[in-house]
Amino acid sequence: MSKELETNLTEEEYLKKHLESLEQNKAVDSVESAPKQQTTVKVEQSKASDLHYFAFDTREFPCGIFYPAGSTIQVRAAQVKEIQAYSMVDDNNFYDIVEKMNDMLSSCVRIKHLDGTIGSYMDLRDPDRYYLIFLIRELTFQKGSVLTTKVNCSCGNETTIELRRKNFKFYETSERINDFFDVATLSFRFEIKTGQVFNLAPPTIGVQKSFTEYIVKENAEKRKPNLSFLKIIPFMLHDRSSITIEGIKAKLDEFQKMDDIPFQFLNSAVEKLTFGIEKLQSQCQCGLEIHTDMIFPNGPSAVFVVHDAFEQFIKE
Ligand SMILES: [Zn+2]
């Protein structure tokens, strides 16, 4: 019973949260329906050799602490054909935004471990998604084509902030929580008074993708997903890169049989585990620090589509 009481979000609100929507992102406020079909994303590794990847230290990323020591995240610029595919994103359809971003990540991102093995974008943490997208953008448009947003400083000046990595301010977990980080499992390890132990971490992009497919399927079959389950369980699958629909159903069954204390604990704990880009931060000419909410100026499509390219490139 208490489980139902906790789910005061609508299904759509939850989905957006689940898929890590940017808060206050006007562009995705009005998602009407799920797409009728899901496309399967395949990692294109065959062509990777002739494209130049840049290696980035995992510690630069919002979820840096969750990657094995010595790993690097390898990212390359988007090719024209990838930009062409992305340019068809429907800014009003949240599923489509996530899908197109996943396609882009699948082409341009991989993780290289210390032992030389390569993992795909699905092994990366979901709250790193936007950071990765903006990183690909920076590599793709090295000259010009800067995305900006405006902020009013208390001195009266209107200052422009560029959407670049250096201006991204990440969410920070409290010291209270940080004490529970377990280096051996790269997750937070919580032992509760009942004696149960839970390891929690933000889910991988792969797990979120599995859950998205599950939600779409449930919707198509006119079943209402258990929102509380969707909020908590992905964090408990901290060491996985995917889960089957049957696997999710088995987890749902376990979840519904859970006692009240562990449920209450988990529900409260996952709320403390927010990662990703919290806001944009810069300095005004007057010296004051200025910040604003993270947004997509002109919608998510504008990340790789040059705004008003007609006017920019027409020769008169
Ligand atoms: Zn100022």
Side-chain angles (χ1 to χ4, degrees):
M1 259 68 62
S2 56
K3 288 172 195 170
E4 264 73 42
L5 287 175
E6 295 297 325
T7 53
N8 46 11
L9 293 171
T10 67
E11 184 183 319
E12 185 174 299
E13 281 168 344
Y14 181 74
L15 261 176
K16 283 195 284 180
K17 196 169 148 51
H18 170 70
L19 296 167
E20 231 241 325
S21 168
L22 294 177
E23 275 177 55
Q24 318 215 341
N25 182 358
K26 307 281 185 296
V28 296
D29 270 355
S30 56
V31 179
E32 297 288 49
S33 59
K36 280 158 198 77
Q37 56 185 47
Q38 284 285 107
T39 340
T40 314
V41 181
K42 288 212 176 70
V43 187
E44 239 187 308
Q45 277 171 329
S46 53
K47 289 174 190 152
S49 54
D50 45 303
L51 295 159
H52 185 67
Y53 281 84
F54 296 85
F56 295 88
D57 190 327
T58 49
R59 284 170 296 186
E60 279 183 42
F61 291 77
C63 289
I65 57 167
F66 302 104
Y67 299 113
S71 306
T72 54
I73 294 177
Q74 304 202 325
V75 186
R76 67 160 171 85
Q79 294 180 292
V80 175
K81 63 172 183 180
E82 289 143 8
I83 296 173
Q84 286 167 344
Y86 185 91
S87 72
M88 296 314 292
V89 65
D90 176 356
D91 280 337
N92 297 311
N93 183 331
F94 196 77
Y95 298 89
D96 194 47
I97 296 166
V98 171
E99 192 88 342
K100 293 284 197 300
M101 283 188 179
N102 281 349
D103 289 348
M104 187 59 92
L105 296 179
S106 124
S107 304
C108 302
V109 177
R110 59 191 194 180
I111 181 166
K112 189 174 183 186
H113 298 292
L114 201 54
D115 63 3
T117 55
I118 303 273
S120 84
Y121 77 105
M122 300 226 284
D123 298 335
L124 302 180
R125 299 283 152 179
D126 196 61
D128 283 341
R129 176 194 301 274
Y130 292 130
Y131 188 88
L132 286 162
I133 288 289
F134 280 99
L135 180 48
I136 297 169
R137 184 182 199 283
E138 279 182 38
L139 296 175
T140 306
F141 302 108
Q142 296 199 20
K143 290 173 195 155
S145 187
V146 180
L147 280 178
T148 60
T149 185
K150 289 187 163 54
V151 191
N152 291 311
C153 176
S154 52
C155 75
N157 266 345
E158 189 185 56
T159 303
T160 301
I161 302 188
E162 287 184 15
L163 277 85
R164 300 180 69 87
R165 283 175 292 151
K166 66 179 169 71
N167 295 333
F168 292 157
K169 176 91 175 60
F170 302 158
Y171 284 103
E172 282 175 23
T173 44
S174 66
E175 279 186 27
R176 175 92 182 102
I177 288 290
N178 294 343
D179 286 345
F180 294 96
F181 190 73
D182 175 38
V183 183
T185 56
L186 298 173
S187 65
F188 290 93
R189 183 182 186 279
F190 302 111
E191 182 173 355
I192 65 171
K193 289 178 177 172
T194 58
Q196 287 156 291
V197 175
F198 298 107
N199 284 84
L200 303 178
T204 56
I205 292 174
V207 162
Q208 286 300 58
K209 198 164 138 52
S210 300
F211 273 83
T212 305
E213 281 157 19
Y214 165 76
I215 293 164
V216 169
K217 190 166 178 288
E218 289 292 285
N219 265 333
E221 291 167 13
K222 308 266 181 255
R223 276 193 298 273
K224 216 168 162 44
N226 179 325
L227 301 180
S228 172
F229 167 72
L230 297 176
K231 169 184 164 182
I232 293 168
I233 295 297
F235 283 81
M236 298 180 75
L237 304 172
H238 65 95
D239 53 357
R240 305 178 67 142
S241 293
S242 69
I243 181 168
T244 60
I245 298 273
E246 290 69 35
I248 292 176
K249 284 179 177 166
K251 290 283 170 196
L252 175 61
D253 198 43
E254 279 174 35
F255 182 75
Q256 285 169 332
K257 289 174 184 154
M258 191 182 279
D259 290 333
D260 197 49
I261 290 173
F263 165 71
Q264 295 288 352
F265 176 82
L266 289 167
N267 189 49
S268 168
V270 297
E271 286 171 6
K272 298 183 194 300
L273 301 179
T274 305
F275 291 85
I277 304 168
E278 182 188 12
K279 55 191 175 183
L280 299 165
Q281 186 175 283
S282 189
Q283 212 174 26
C284 174
Q285 289 169 331
C286 75
L288 281 178
E289 190 176 273
I290 44 168
H291 40 81
T292 184
D293 292 320
M294 178 66 189
I295 52 135
F296 282 113
N298 305 314
S301 61
V303 177
F304 290 100
V305 176
V306 176
H307 184 58
D308 216 356
F310 181 87
E311 291 302 335
Q312 279 203 44
F313 301 131
I314 186 84
K315 187 173 178 182
E316 296 185 272

